[in-house]
mmCIF file of all heavy atoms in Angstrom:
data_model
loop_
_atom_site.group_PDB
_atom_site.id
_atom_site.type_symbol
_atom_site.label_atom_id
_atom_site.label_comp_id
_atom_site.label_asym_id
_atom_site.label_seq_id
_atom_site.Cartn_x
_atom_site.Cartn_y
_atom_site.Cartn_z
ATOM 1 N N ARG A 1 0.530 6.629 -0.121
ATOM 2 C CA ARG A 1 -0.634 6.827 -0.988
ATOM 3 C C ARG A 1 -0.294 7.740 -2.164
ATOM 4 O O ARG A 1 -0.657 7.462 -3.314
ATOM 5 C CB ARG A 1 -1.795 7.423 -0.183
ATOM 6 C CG ARG A 1 -3.065 7.647 -1.020
ATOM 7 C CD ARG A 1 -4.174 8.268 -0.197
ATOM 8 N NE ARG A 1 -4.629 7.390 0.850
ATOM 9 C CZ ARG A 1 -5.483 6.393 0.668
ATOM 10 N NH1 ARG A 1 -5.965 6.158 -0.536
ATOM 11 N NH2 ARG A 1 -5.858 5.638 1.683
ATOM 12 N N ARG A 2 0.407 8.812 -1.875
ATOM 13 C CA ARG A 2 0.728 9.774 -2.928
ATOM 14 C C ARG A 2 1.640 9.167 -3.990
ATOM 15 O O ARG A 2 1.426 9.363 -5.196
ATOM 16 C CB ARG A 2 1.355 11.017 -2.313
ATOM 17 C CG ARG A 2 0.368 11.841 -1.509
ATOM 18 C CD ARG A 2 1.072 12.818 -0.583
ATOM 19 N NE ARG A 2 1.898 13.769 -1.334
ATOM 20 C CZ ARG A 2 2.839 14.521 -0.778
ATOM 21 N NH1 ARG A 2 3.090 14.411 0.533
ATOM 22 N NH2 ARG A 2 3.524 15.370 -1.500
ATOM 23 N N VAL A 3 2.647 8.410 -3.566
ATOM 24 C CA VAL A 3 3.568 7.809 -4.540
ATOM 25 C C VAL A 3 2.873 6.713 -5.333
ATOM 26 O O VAL A 3 2.960 6.664 -6.570
ATOM 27 C CB VAL A 3 4.817 7.245 -3.841
ATOM 28 C CG1 VAL A 3 5.680 6.485 -4.851
ATOM 29 C CG2 VAL A 3 5.628 8.365 -3.203
ATOM 30 N N ILE A 4 2.159 5.833 -4.651
ATOM 31 C CA ILE A 4 1.553 4.684 -5.327
ATOM 32 C C ILE A 4 0.488 5.125 -6.321
ATOM 33 O O ILE A 4 0.444 4.657 -7.460
ATOM 34 C CB ILE A 4 0.973 3.705 -4.292
ATOM 35 C CG1 ILE A 4 2.120 2.972 -3.586
ATOM 36 C CG2 ILE A 4 0.030 2.705 -4.960
ATOM 37 C CD1 ILE A 4 1.674 2.094 -2.448
ATOM 38 N N PHE A 5 -0.375 6.046 -5.929
ATOM 39 C CA PHE A 5 -1.436 6.433 -6.843
ATOM 40 C C PHE A 5 -0.977 7.449 -7.875
ATOM 41 O O PHE A 5 -1.597 7.573 -8.930
ATOM 42 C CB PHE A 5 -2.670 6.890 -6.063
ATOM 43 C CG PHE A 5 -3.371 5.729 -5.407
ATOM 44 C CD1 PHE A 5 -3.246 5.484 -4.053
ATOM 45 C CD2 PHE A 5 -4.111 4.841 -6.169
ATOM 46 C CE1 PHE A 5 -3.862 4.393 -3.464
ATOM 47 C CE2 PHE A 5 -4.734 3.744 -5.588
ATOM 48 C CZ PHE A 5 -4.605 3.519 -4.234
ATOM 49 N N ALA A 6 0.122 8.158 -7.617
ATOM 50 C CA ALA A 6 0.743 8.940 -8.687
ATOM 51 C C ALA A 6 1.303 8.003 -9.740
ATOM 52 O O ALA A 6 1.206 8.259 -10.944
ATOM 53 C CB ALA A 6 1.847 9.832 -8.128
ATOM 54 N N SER A 7 1.877 6.876 -9.300
ATOM 55 C CA SER A 7 2.388 5.866 -10.229
ATOM 56 C C SER A 7 1.253 5.283 -11.055
ATOM 57 O O SER A 7 1.384 5.064 -12.264
ATOM 58 C CB SER A 7 3.101 4.750 -9.461
ATOM 59 O OG SER A 7 4.136 5.265 -8.658
ATOM 60 N N ALA A 8 0.120 5.025 -10.413
ATOM 61 C CA ALA A 8 -1.018 4.439 -11.119
ATOM 62 C C ALA A 8 -1.553 5.394 -12.178
ATOM 63 O O ALA A 8 -2.008 4.982 -13.238
ATOM 64 C CB ALA A 8 -2.121 4.085 -10.121
ATOM 65 N N ARG A 9 -1.482 6.710 -11.890
ATOM 66 C CA ARG A 9 -1.924 7.706 -12.856
ATOM 67 C C ARG A 9 -1.050 7.684 -14.097
ATOM 68 O O ARG A 9 -1.509 7.831 -15.217
ATOM 69 C CB ARG A 9 -1.853 9.089 -12.198
ATOM 70 C CG ARG A 9 -2.198 10.251 -13.128
ATOM 71 C CD ARG A 9 -1.600 11.543 -12.587
ATOM 72 N NE ARG A 9 -0.145 11.497 -12.629
ATOM 73 C CZ ARG A 9 0.641 12.367 -12.010
ATOM 74 N NH1 ARG A 9 0.117 13.313 -11.268
ATOM 75 N NH2 ARG A 9 1.957 12.267 -12.105
ATOM 76 N N GLU A 10 0.242 7.471 -13.890
ATOM 77 C CA GLU A 10 1.211 7.576 -14.982
ATOM 78 C C GLU A 10 1.349 6.290 -15.781
ATOM 79 O O GLU A 10 1.532 6.313 -16.992
ATOM 80 C CB GLU A 10 2.570 7.958 -14.387
ATOM 81 C CG GLU A 10 3.701 7.951 -15.360
ATOM 82 C CD GLU A 10 5.036 8.097 -14.637
ATOM 83 O OE1 GLU A 10 5.069 8.693 -13.552
ATOM 84 O OE2 GLU A 10 6.029 7.597 -15.170
ATOM 85 N N CYS A 11 1.284 5.136 -15.110
ATOM 86 C CA CYS A 11 1.651 3.874 -15.751
ATOM 87 C C CYS A 11 0.430 3.162 -16.309
ATOM 88 O O CYS A 11 -0.562 2.992 -15.604
ATOM 89 C CB CYS A 11 2.351 2.945 -14.746
ATOM 90 S SG CYS A 11 3.806 3.671 -13.997
ATOM 91 N N PRO A 12 0.485 2.692 -17.561
ATOM 92 C CA PRO A 12 -0.625 1.924 -18.111
ATOM 93 C C PRO A 12 -0.967 0.706 -17.278
ATOM 94 O O PRO A 12 -2.115 0.275 -17.231
ATOM 95 C CB PRO A 12 -0.111 1.529 -19.503
ATOM 96 C CG PRO A 12 0.903 2.558 -19.837
ATOM 97 C CD PRO A 12 1.557 2.924 -18.531
ATOM 98 N N ALA A 13 0.013 0.113 -16.612
ATOM 99 C CA ALA A 13 -0.244 -1.086 -15.817
ATOM 100 C C ALA A 13 -0.782 -0.753 -14.436
ATOM 101 O O ALA A 13 -1.031 -1.639 -13.645
ATOM 102 C CB ALA A 13 1.038 -1.906 -15.674
ATOM 103 N N GLY A 14 -0.974 0.530 -14.116
ATOM 104 C CA GLY A 14 -1.498 0.884 -12.806
ATOM 105 C C GLY A 14 -0.475 0.590 -11.729
ATOM 106 O O GLY A 14 0.721 0.740 -11.924
ATOM 107 N N ILE A 15 -0.954 0.198 -10.569
ATOM 108 C CA ILE A 15 -0.064 -0.145 -9.468
ATOM 109 C C ILE A 15 0.712 -1.407 -9.830
ATOM 110 O O ILE A 15 0.151 -2.391 -10.300
ATOM 111 C CB ILE A 15 -0.879 -0.341 -8.175
ATOM 112 C CG1 ILE A 15 -1.425 1.012 -7.728
ATOM 113 C CG2 ILE A 15 -0.035 -0.962 -7.066
ATOM 114 C CD1 ILE A 15 -2.315 0.939 -6.532
ATOM 115 N N SER A 16 2.003 -1.380 -9.589
ATOM 116 C CA SER A 16 2.853 -2.486 -10.019
ATOM 117 C C SER A 16 2.842 -3.627 -9.006
ATOM 118 O O SER A 16 2.442 -3.459 -7.855
ATOM 119 C CB SER A 16 4.296 -2.001 -10.218
ATOM 120 O OG SER A 16 4.884 -1.692 -8.954
ATOM 121 N N LYS A 17 3.307 -4.759 -9.470
ATOM 122 C CA LYS A 17 3.448 -5.922 -8.592
ATOM 123 C C LYS A 17 4.384 -5.605 -7.432
ATOM 124 O O LYS A 17 4.105 -5.964 -6.282
ATOM 125 C CB LYS A 17 3.983 -7.107 -9.400
ATOM 126 C CG LYS A 17 4.219 -8.375 -8.592
ATOM 127 C CD LYS A 17 4.764 -9.479 -9.490
ATOM 128 C CE LYS A 17 5.060 -10.741 -8.701
ATOM 129 N NZ LYS A 17 5.617 -11.803 -9.573
ATOM 130 N N ALA A 18 5.494 -4.928 -7.717
ATOM 131 C CA ALA A 18 6.447 -4.584 -6.658
ATOM 132 C C ALA A 18 5.804 -3.687 -5.607
ATOM 133 O O ALA A 18 6.052 -3.838 -4.405
ATOM 134 C CB ALA A 18 7.669 -3.900 -7.260
ATOM 135 N N GLU A 19 4.974 -2.730 -6.040
ATOM 136 C CA GLU A 19 4.302 -1.842 -5.090
ATOM 137 C C GLU A 19 3.284 -2.593 -4.251
ATOM 138 O O GLU A 19 3.161 -2.358 -3.047
ATOM 139 C CB GLU A 19 3.657 -0.689 -5.850
ATOM 140 C CG GLU A 19 4.677 0.268 -6.440
ATOM 141 C CD GLU A 19 4.115 1.205 -7.489
ATOM 142 O OE1 GLU A 19 2.992 0.942 -7.986
ATOM 143 O OE2 GLU A 19 4.799 2.174 -7.834
ATOM 144 N N ALA A 20 2.540 -3.512 -4.872
ATOM 145 C CA ALA A 20 1.579 -4.310 -4.117
ATOM 146 C C ALA A 20 2.289 -5.202 -3.104
ATOM 147 O O ALA A 20 1.829 -5.363 -1.965
ATOM 148 C CB ALA A 20 0.740 -5.161 -5.080
ATOM 149 N N GLU A 21 3.419 -5.766 -3.485
ATOM 150 C CA GLU A 21 4.174 -6.612 -2.554
ATOM 151 C C GLU A 21 4.748 -5.779 -1.404
ATOM 152 O O GLU A 21 4.828 -6.265 -0.265
ATOM 153 C CB GLU A 21 5.278 -7.351 -3.307
ATOM 154 C CG GLU A 21 4.717 -8.424 -4.227
ATOM 155 C CD GLU A 21 5.781 -9.149 -5.037
ATOM 156 O OE1 GLU A 21 6.952 -8.673 -5.038
ATOM 157 O OE2 GLU A 21 5.450 -10.170 -5.667
ATOM 158 N N LEU A 22 5.127 -4.539 -1.679
ATOM 159 C CA LEU A 22 5.581 -3.655 -0.612
ATOM 160 C C LEU A 22 4.469 -3.430 0.400
ATOM 161 O O LEU A 22 4.711 -3.428 1.614
ATOM 162 C CB LEU A 22 6.061 -2.330 -1.210
ATOM 163 C CG LEU A 22 6.460 -1.240 -0.219
ATOM 164 C CD1 LEU A 22 7.708 -0.517 -0.708
ATOM 165 C CD2 LEU A 22 5.340 -0.220 -0.020
ATOM 166 N N LEU A 23 3.234 -3.241 -0.064
ATOM 167 C CA LEU A 23 2.106 -3.062 0.858
ATOM 168 C C LEU A 23 1.935 -4.295 1.750
ATOM 169 O O LEU A 23 1.668 -4.166 2.951
ATOM 170 C CB LEU A 23 0.828 -2.791 0.078
ATOM 171 C CG LEU A 23 0.752 -1.452 -0.663
ATOM 172 C CD1 LEU A 23 -0.539 -1.371 -1.468
ATOM 173 C CD2 LEU A 23 0.850 -0.289 0.309
ATOM 174 N N PHE A 24 2.086 -5.476 1.189
ATOM 175 C CA PHE A 24 1.980 -6.691 1.993
ATOM 176 C C PHE A 24 3.109 -6.773 3.018
ATOM 177 O O PHE A 24 2.888 -7.189 4.160
ATOM 178 C CB PHE A 24 1.983 -7.932 1.100
ATOM 179 C CG PHE A 24 0.613 -8.411 0.720
ATOM 180 C CD1 PHE A 24 0.004 -7.956 -0.441
ATOM 181 C CD2 PHE A 24 -0.083 -9.304 1.518
ATOM 182 C CE1 PHE A 24 -1.262 -8.383 -0.794
ATOM 183 C CE2 PHE A 24 -1.350 -9.745 1.174
ATOM 184 C CZ PHE A 24 -1.948 -9.280 0.009
ATOM 185 N N ARG A 25 4.321 -6.394 2.625
ATOM 186 C CA ARG A 25 5.437 -6.437 3.579
ATOM 187 C C ARG A 25 5.204 -5.487 4.750
ATOM 188 O O ARG A 25 5.458 -5.841 5.909
ATOM 189 C CB ARG A 25 6.761 -6.095 2.880
ATOM 190 C CG ARG A 25 7.259 -7.146 1.914
ATOM 191 C CD ARG A 25 8.728 -6.927 1.572
ATOM 192 N NE ARG A 25 9.000 -5.617 1.006
ATOM 193 C CZ ARG A 25 8.929 -5.338 -0.304
ATOM 194 N NH1 ARG A 25 8.583 -6.277 -1.167
ATOM 195 N NH2 ARG A 25 9.223 -4.121 -0.747
ATOM 196 N N ILE A 26 4.727 -4.299 4.443
ATOM 197 C CA ILE A 26 4.456 -3.345 5.518
ATOM 198 C C ILE A 26 3.326 -3.852 6.399
ATOM 199 O O ILE A 26 3.367 -3.719 7.631
ATOM 200 C CB ILE A 26 4.131 -1.962 4.932
ATOM 201 C CG1 ILE A 26 5.384 -1.372 4.266
ATOM 202 C CG2 ILE A 26 3.598 -1.016 6.007
ATOM 203 C CD1 ILE A 26 5.151 -0.042 3.585
ATOM 204 N N LYS A 27 2.308 -4.433 5.793
ATOM 205 C CA LYS A 27 1.208 -5.009 6.586
ATOM 206 C C LYS A 27 1.731 -6.052 7.567
ATOM 207 O O LYS A 27 1.394 -6.029 8.757
ATOM 208 C CB LYS A 27 0.163 -5.650 5.668
ATOM 209 C CG LYS A 27 -0.932 -6.418 6.430
ATOM 210 C CD LYS A 27 -1.751 -7.286 5.513
ATOM 211 C CE LYS A 27 -0.978 -8.451 4.957
ATOM 212 N NZ LYS A 27 -0.622 -9.441 6.010
ATOM 213 N N ASP A 28 2.568 -6.957 7.076
ATOM 214 C CA ASP A 28 3.092 -8.008 7.950
ATOM 215 C C ASP A 28 3.967 -7.426 9.056
ATOM 216 O O ASP A 28 3.952 -7.911 10.193
ATOM 217 C CB ASP A 28 3.898 -9.020 7.124
ATOM 218 C CG ASP A 28 3.017 -9.846 6.196
ATOM 219 O OD1 ASP A 28 1.803 -9.913 6.435
ATOM 220 O OD2 ASP A 28 3.557 -10.418 5.227
ATOM 221 N N ALA A 29 4.716 -6.362 8.750
ATOM 222 C CA ALA A 29 5.620 -5.769 9.739
ATOM 223 C C ALA A 29 4.880 -4.995 10.817
ATOM 224 O O ALA A 29 5.414 -4.784 11.907
ATOM 225 C CB ALA A 29 6.621 -4.855 9.040
ATOM 226 N N THR A 30 3.662 -4.552 10.520
ATOM 227 C CA THR A 30 2.927 -3.690 11.456
ATOM 228 C C THR A 30 1.625 -4.320 11.951
ATOM 229 O O THR A 30 0.792 -3.632 12.535
ATOM 230 C CB THR A 30 2.594 -2.350 10.783
ATOM 231 O OG1 THR A 30 1.753 -2.593 9.636
ATOM 232 C CG2 THR A 30 3.856 -1.628 10.334
ATOM 233 N N LEU A 31 1.473 -5.609 11.734
ATOM 234 C CA LEU A 31 0.185 -6.266 11.943
ATOM 235 C C LEU A 31 -0.361 -6.081 13.346
ATOM 236 O O LEU A 31 -1.559 -5.869 13.544
ATOM 237 C CB LEU A 31 0.325 -7.754 11.620
ATOM 238 C CG LEU A 31 -0.977 -8.544 11.479
ATOM 239 C CD1 LEU A 31 -1.885 -7.929 10.425
ATOM 240 C CD2 LEU A 31 -0.669 -9.995 11.132
ATOM 241 N N TYR A 32 0.483 -6.148 14.336
ATOM 242 C CA TYR A 32 0.012 -6.088 15.725
ATOM 243 C C TYR A 32 0.378 -4.770 16.395
ATOM 244 O O TYR A 32 0.428 -4.678 17.623
ATOM 245 C CB TYR A 32 0.589 -7.272 16.506
ATOM 246 C CG TYR A 32 0.204 -8.595 15.892
ATOM 247 C CD1 TYR A 32 1.164 -9.382 15.226
ATOM 248 C CD2 TYR A 32 -1.106 -9.053 15.917
ATOM 249 C CE1 TYR A 32 0.810 -10.588 14.640
ATOM 250 C CE2 TYR A 32 -1.472 -10.263 15.331
ATOM 251 C CZ TYR A 32 -0.495 -11.018 14.696
ATOM 252 O OH TYR A 32 -0.848 -12.210 14.103
ATOM 253 N N GLU A 33 0.627 -3.748 15.588
ATOM 254 C CA GLU A 33 0.987 -2.439 16.113
ATOM 255 C C GLU A 33 -0.215 -1.492 16.089
ATOM 256 O O GLU A 33 -1.248 -1.783 15.478
ATOM 257 C CB GLU A 33 2.123 -1.839 15.271
ATOM 258 C CG GLU A 33 3.374 -2.690 15.206
ATOM 259 C CD GLU A 33 4.170 -2.661 16.497
ATOM 260 O OE1 GLU A 33 3.811 -1.872 17.392
ATOM 261 O OE2 GLU A 33 5.158 -3.414 16.601
ATOM 262 N N ALA A 34 -0.050 -0.350 16.745
ATOM 263 C CA ALA A 34 -1.067 0.704 16.721
ATOM 264 C C ALA A 34 -0.862 1.518 15.450
ATOM 265 O O ALA A 34 -0.013 2.406 15.393
ATOM 266 C CB ALA A 34 -0.942 1.580 17.959
ATOM 267 N N ASN A 35 -1.629 1.217 14.404
ATOM 268 C CA ASN A 35 -1.428 1.832 13.097
ATOM 269 C C ASN A 35 -2.378 2.999 12.862
ATOM 270 O O ASN A 35 -3.447 3.089 13.481
ATOM 271 C CB ASN A 35 -1.635 0.794 11.991
ATOM 272 C CG ASN A 35 -0.610 -0.315 12.041
ATOM 273 O OD1 ASN A 35 0.570 -0.068 12.262
ATOM 274 N ND2 ASN A 35 -1.054 -1.556 11.845
ATOM 275 N N CYS A 36 -2.001 3.853 11.934
ATOM 276 C CA CYS A 36 -2.880 4.921 11.484
ATOM 277 C C CYS A 36 -4.180 4.313 10.953
ATOM 278 O O CYS A 36 -4.144 3.343 10.190
ATOM 279 C CB CYS A 36 -2.174 5.712 10.383
ATOM 280 S SG CYS A 36 -3.224 6.862 9.481
ATOM 281 N N PRO A 37 -5.330 4.864 11.316
ATOM 282 C CA PRO A 37 -6.611 4.281 10.864
ATOM 283 C C PRO A 37 -6.743 4.206 9.346
ATOM 284 O O PRO A 37 -7.437 3.322 8.830
ATOM 285 C CB PRO A 37 -7.654 5.244 11.460
ATOM 286 C CG PRO A 37 -6.990 5.849 12.644
ATOM 287 C CD PRO A 37 -5.538 5.978 12.260
ATOM 288 N N ASP A 38 -6.097 5.112 8.606
ATOM 289 C CA ASP A 38 -6.212 5.109 7.146
ATOM 290 C C ASP A 38 -5.376 4.018 6.482
ATOM 291 O O ASP A 38 -5.487 3.817 5.266
ATOM 292 C CB ASP A 38 -5.783 6.469 6.585
ATOM 293 C CG ASP A 38 -6.748 7.583 6.961
ATOM 294 O OD1 ASP A 38 -7.929 7.278 7.232
ATOM 295 O OD2 ASP A 38 -6.324 8.748 6.981
ATOM 296 N N TRP A 39 -4.538 3.335 7.246
ATOM 297 C CA TRP A 39 -3.677 2.313 6.659
ATOM 298 C C TRP A 39 -4.489 1.173 6.052
ATOM 299 O O TRP A 39 -4.157 0.675 4.970
ATOM 300 C CB TRP A 39 -2.706 1.782 7.703
ATOM 301 C CG TRP A 39 -2.044 0.482 7.326
ATOM 302 C CD1 TRP A 39 -2.101 -0.694 8.013
ATOM 303 C CD2 TRP A 39 -1.214 0.223 6.177
ATOM 304 N NE1 TRP A 39 -1.373 -1.663 7.364
ATOM 305 C CE2 TRP A 39 -0.819 -1.124 6.229
ATOM 306 C CE3 TRP A 39 -0.786 1.017 5.120
ATOM 307 C CZ2 TRP A 39 -0.011 -1.709 5.266
ATOM 308 C CZ3 TRP A 39 0.023 0.427 4.143
ATOM 309 C CH2 TRP A 39 0.403 -0.926 4.226
ATOM 310 N N SER A 40 -5.554 0.742 6.717
ATOM 311 C CA SER A 40 -6.338 -0.383 6.197
ATOM 312 C C SER A 40 -6.930 -0.046 4.834
ATOM 313 O O SER A 40 -6.928 -0.881 3.916
ATOM 314 C CB SER A 40 -7.449 -0.771 7.180
ATOM 315 O OG SER A 40 -8.301 0.329 7.435
ATOM 316 N N ASP A 41 -7.441 1.187 4.658
ATOM 317 C CA ASP A 41 -7.972 1.595 3.362
ATOM 318 C C ASP A 41 -6.892 1.547 2.287
ATOM 319 O O ASP A 41 -7.124 1.051 1.182
ATOM 320 C CB ASP A 41 -8.519 3.018 3.445
ATOM 321 C CG ASP A 41 -9.877 3.087 4.119
ATOM 322 O OD1 ASP A 41 -10.279 2.086 4.728
ATOM 323 O OD2 ASP A 41 -10.508 4.150 4.053
ATOM 324 N N LEU A 42 -5.723 2.090 2.599
ATOM 325 C CA LEU A 42 -4.648 2.138 1.607
ATOM 326 C C LEU A 42 -4.218 0.735 1.215
ATOM 327 O O LEU A 42 -4.018 0.451 0.026
ATOM 328 C CB LEU A 42 -3.452 2.915 2.154
ATOM 329 C CG LEU A 42 -2.215 2.928 1.254
ATOM 330 C CD1 LEU A 42 -2.536 3.530 -0.109
ATOM 331 C CD2 LEU A 42 -1.070 3.677 1.919
ATOM 332 N N PHE A 43 -4.064 -0.163 2.180
ATOM 333 C CA PHE A 43 -3.634 -1.521 1.870
ATOM 334 C C PHE A 43 -4.618 -2.198 0.912
ATOM 335 O O PHE A 43 -4.223 -2.756 -0.118
ATOM 336 C CB PHE A 43 -3.494 -2.354 3.142
ATOM 337 C CG PHE A 43 -3.268 -3.810 2.864
ATOM 338 C CD1 PHE A 43 -2.028 -4.272 2.455
ATOM 339 C CD2 PHE A 43 -4.320 -4.722 2.957
ATOM 340 C CE1 PHE A 43 -1.825 -5.613 2.158
ATOM 341 C CE2 PHE A 43 -4.129 -6.067 2.669
ATOM 342 C CZ PHE A 43 -2.876 -6.512 2.261
ATOM 343 N N VAL A 44 -5.893 -2.157 1.239
ATOM 344 C CA VAL A 44 -6.882 -2.852 0.413
ATOM 345 C C VAL A 44 -7.031 -2.170 -0.945
ATOM 346 O O VAL A 44 -7.102 -2.836 -1.980
ATOM 347 C CB VAL A 44 -8.231 -2.951 1.146
ATOM 348 C CG1 VAL A 44 -9.287 -3.600 0.247
ATOM 349 C CG2 VAL A 44 -8.079 -3.761 2.429
ATOM 350 N N GLN A 45 -7.074 -0.847 -0.961
ATOM 351 C CA GLN A 45 -7.186 -0.138 -2.236
ATOM 352 C C GLN A 45 -6.009 -0.453 -3.159
ATOM 353 O O GLN A 45 -6.190 -0.718 -4.350
ATOM 354 C CB GLN A 45 -7.251 1.367 -1.991
ATOM 355 C CG GLN A 45 -8.569 1.854 -1.432
ATOM 356 C CD GLN A 45 -8.526 3.336 -1.106
ATOM 357 O OE1 GLN A 45 -7.471 3.885 -0.814
ATOM 358 N NE2 GLN A 45 -9.677 3.973 -1.135
ATOM 359 N N GLY A 46 -4.801 -0.402 -2.606
ATOM 360 C CA GLY A 46 -3.621 -0.626 -3.424
ATOM 361 C C GLY A 46 -3.532 -2.050 -3.939
ATOM 362 O O GLY A 46 -3.307 -2.278 -5.139
#
């Protein structure tokens, strides 16, 4: 969260395509695991 939204603060384009794709990769890798409750918010927000 800190890296992605720090990037959004700095970059005119906001969150980048590469960062959004990273969120999807992590989602797929952890889909059936016991995840931190805040992960769902971060994924959708990002």
Side-chain angles (χ1 to χ4, degrees):
R1 181 181 295 279
R2 290 163 61 196
V3 174
I4 287 174
F5 288 103
S7 304
R9 176 202 66 193
E10 173 190 332
C11 303
I15 291 176
S16 70
K17 178 181 178 181
E19 291 165 345
E21 290 178 349
L22 175 140
L23 292 176
F24 267 91
R25 290 196 302 272
I26 292 177
K27 173 193 69 68
D28 291 341
T30 61
L31 193 56
Y32 302 109
E33 302 286 353
N35 296 318
C36 168
D38 292 336
W39 164 239
S40 58
D41 283 13
L42 175 59
F43 171 77
V44 176
Q45 286 175 333

